[in-house]
Amino acid sequence: MPLSSAEPLSHVDVLIIGAGLSGIGAAYHLQTRCPTLSYAILEGRGAMGGTWDLFRYPGVRSDSDMYTLGYRFRPWLGGKAIADGPSIKAYIEETAAEYGIDQRIRYHHRVTRAEWSSEHGRWTVDMEVGPERAPVRMTCGFLYACTGYYDYASGYTPTWPGTERFQGSIVHPQHWPEDLDYGGKRVVVIGSGATAVTLVPAMADRAAHVTMLQRSPTYIADQPAEDSVARALRYVLPRRAAYAVARWKNVLRGMLLYGLARSRPGLFKWLLRLGVRKALGKAYDVDTHFAPRYNPWDERLCVAPDGDLFGAIREGRASMVTDHIESFTEKGLQLRSGAHVDADIIVTATGLNVKILSGLALSVDGEPVQLARTLAYKGMMFSDVPNLVAAFGYTNASWTLKCDLVAEYTCRLLNHMKQHGYTQCVPRLTGPAMTPEPVLDFRSGYVQRALESLPRQGTRAPWRLYQNYVRDLVMMRYGRVDDEAMEFKRSGSAASGQALLPEVSTRSNAEVARG
């Protein structure tokens, strides 16, 4: 879309893209820590919640405990630590309403392009608005992407021979039909990741039988759905104190288990397998269905709350099949081993497509940005890209832990810029050269398929991702924002103490929210 075809809508100091878990958290930190800055939130869909509004498949839930997936500033008061999707969506909505953030969201605004001008010290952002996709433009001094990391339009589905022959329904969890009736039906769930582990026990309650068909096993841990320690803390401590203690308990527990998995993988494997044997009995073929070929945390660990998957298998409502698909047939799936699995419904829980920044096209002073050629700075910015932060969570812990730190650091950065009259901050690689490495050391299929399109990381801080909350907390909450890698500039003859932007909008935040 040519830039000349869109008329300016408005200008804000900070423009947040995405009204999901990280976007609402970012907004809270901005209005709390940077109260003089105007902001708006653009959401391409018609509701807030992001992942937790999009996914509607049976049993959809968190894979991290809510004491770390919840916001640091607003305690999670739900009964379950591993919460269902609707409860998480409600938590996001209630947070947005409590702090007035819901009034700042512009729905059905899909951002397509952003161009940075060093001369003017601002981003020009193009978007498509409404069902008619009307071209609209905004400008902002700072762009804050809270878009997650996958394609909201479509999930990943491999190509199998014979899919057109199957006479039943084929469904991807990312696009779950509201009217799908699986009661009394034979269901096959293809996949071995978190979505499959969630779907199988949830569907087994009503289906005639559910088969989880996997090419290779994954690690699955039995974890209580409720946190008994957190529940006890509520009786002896004030609400916020109890939440803080439970949060830190789970942070440290997660770090300890991750450290054990990476340093003593053999011991960790044995412990996980012991848990599966205890749940399914000595006669069950654990080595075939629950003994992955990779080490723990080479891919994300899956969780079975209260052992629900194991319970469904033990009771005969579900079963595991480890095999390869030869082809689809009229009545199900023909496997490489020669076996046939009958099905009325086949669910392809085969993963996501990674789409960083939701496909947003970026340019800086007329030059297109190729993110794959950039280095990630503190896991939140990109080398040589000014005034842009992207919220990404951890792969070995909850998403929100890192996003909360990113939001705090962004506010510190914005306040530093305003105090010194800077209009531009940009990470620049200085010092000895580094050999770029993949930004994620993860074997999961969705990561491997996307590595060529992702930014890289370096071999030393601040260009390296350590996936360590405590280390990041020290760096991002207390470390310098004016480190040797961050370059600051003023537009024109800006003097020290000048406002963040060369042309700060005079519209109130309420006016900005109304558009």
Side-chain angles (χ1 to χ4, degrees), residues 302-365:
C302 292
V303 171
D306 292 333
D308 56 0
L309 174 65
F310 305 130
I313 294 172
R314 191 172 58 246
E315 294 162 10
R317 296 180 288 116
S319 57
M320 299 285 290
V321 174
T322 304
D323 208 331
H324 288 70
I325 297 172
E326 191 71 33
S327 68
F328 279 57
T329 68
E330 290 81 358
K331 299 296 183 181
L333 295 164
Q334 185 66 45
L335 306 182
R336 187 177 296 177
S337 64
H340 187 275
V341 181
D342 296 335
D344 303 304
I345 298 172
I346 295 176
V347 182
T348 57
T350 46
L352 308 168
N353 288 318
V354 172
K355 197 172 188 179
I356 193 168
L357 301 187
S358 202
L360 174 64
L362 299 172
S363 67
V364 174
D365 294 328

Side-chain angles (χ1 to χ4, degrees), residues 277-291:
R277 288 193 185 281
K278 182 179 178 181
L280 294 177
K282 295 180 180 179
Y284 192 84
D285 190 358
V286 171
D287 289 340
T288 296
H289 303 303
F290 293 96

